[in-house]
Amino acid sequence: MTTSPMVTGIVRWVGGVMLIVASLALSPVAHGQAEVKPGIKVGANLASFGGGDADRFFEGADEQFRTGVVLGGFVTIDPAGPFALQTELLYIQEGVQAEGTLSETTVTYKINYIEVPILAKLQIPVTGPLTPTFFAGPSVGVPVSETVELEQSGSSSSRSIDDLIDPTDVGVHVGGGLDIAAGTVEVTLDLRYQIGLTSIFRQGENEVLDRAGVEDIKNRGIGITAGLAF
């Protein structure tokens, strides 16, 4: 599978930003000047499919979000200054739901991942307990559950599609949030857009998609989470 120049450029740009931020963040750590804050978070993910072949994939159906769960933990390396480095370990429910335009049929793809985002975090200093933040960085995900469900005329069925799903999903997380100091803990709120850079499906493994020329299907998601940093 080839990678487009745009994807390569995005990965290189993000990688360069991460190297700069990591050097800024880890240098104080080596001298004992940075604060290391673990935390937990939970929230919702509005998942969908994107990519160059998404229109053909949804031909004859209306695309809808699949509402899933996001939960996991994170560690923030916070040196003196506006930049921080945040690594997360998340369970994310991705996929999509589609309803047939000519029949009462609903198809739901449920693809759940263990995902590791590494985020460069910009903290905007303001007076008081509130700290606005912006972040971006790459992520790598591994699918742990893959099914497709079909509902039609009051009956439903499901089957595994793990043989059709690529074993690695590479993407980018971009978003912003608010950190709220509350005594000995910090409440974190964030809103992010998850952009898949690699195709969800294995190439050459699905005869229906192959005949239709559908190859470029990628994960998309809008995540909303709340958490606690200790």
Side-chain angles (χ1 to χ4, degrees):
M1 181 176 63
T2 59
T3 303
S4 71
M6 182 185 71
V7 170
T8 301
I10 291 174
V11 172
R12 288 178 177 174
W13 177 81
V14 171
V17 172
M18 292 303 303
L19 286 174
I20 294 172
V21 174
S23 64
L24 292 172
L26 295 179
S27 178
V29 170
H31 297 85
Q33 300 172 359
E35 185 179 6
V36 178
K37 298 183 290 186
I40 56 174
K41 62 172 52 184
V42 64
N45 186 48
L46 302 178
S48 64
F49 286 172
D53 295 330
D55 288 342
R56 277 186 286 179
F57 184 87
F58 291 108
E59 189 173 357
D62 292 327
E63 177 187 3
Q64 299 179 0
F65 287 116
R66 180 205 173 191
T67 302
V69 171
V70 182
L71 58 89
F74 61 91
V75 175
T76 303
I77 300 172
D78 188 4
F83 291 104
L85 185 66
Q86 183 164 300
T87 301
E88 302 176 342
L89 178 63
L90 304 175
Y91 171 74
I92 301 181
Q93 293 182 331
E94 308 251 26
V96 73
Q97 182 171 296
E99 292 188 357
T101 55
L102 300 177
S103 63
E104 296 182 358
T105 303
T106 301
V107 179
T108 305
Y109 285 84
K110 296 184 176 181
I111 311 171
N112 305 324
Y113 291 85
I114 297 295
E115 201 160 300
V116 180
I118 302 176
L119 306 174
K121 188 174 181 180
L122 173 63
Q123 304 169 118
I124 309 299
V126 295
T127 303
L130 305 181
T131 303
T133 64
F134 298 94
F135 54 83
S139 67
V140 177
V142 177
V144 294
S145 174
E146 311 94 350
T147 59
V148 59
E149 296 184 355
L150 178 66
E151 296 183 14
Q152 186 176 30
S153 302
S155 63
S156 62
S157 61
S158 66
R159 69 177 184 91
S160 172
I161 54 171
D162 58 345
D163 57 329
L164 304 180
I165 303 301
D166 197 278
T168 305
D169 187 62
V170 178
V172 172
H173 288 214
V174 179
L178 195 64
D179 294 344
I180 308 169
T184 59
V185 300
E186 190 174 71
V187 178
T188 67
L189 306 172
D190 79 50
L191 172 67
R192 67 182 63 186
Y193 185 44
Q194 304 150 24
I195 308 166
L197 301 180
T198 54
S199 180
I200 298 169
F201 297 103
R202 298 175 188 260
Q203 303 305 305
E205 298 290 338
N206 190 315
E207 294 182 4
V208 175
L209 295 182
D210 291 342
R211 285 198 301 268
V214 175
E215 297 180 354
D216 185 18
I217 301 294
K218 299 180 174 70
N219 281 312
R220 297 287 186 266
I222 300 172
I224 305 168
T225 64
L228 289 175
F230 305 101

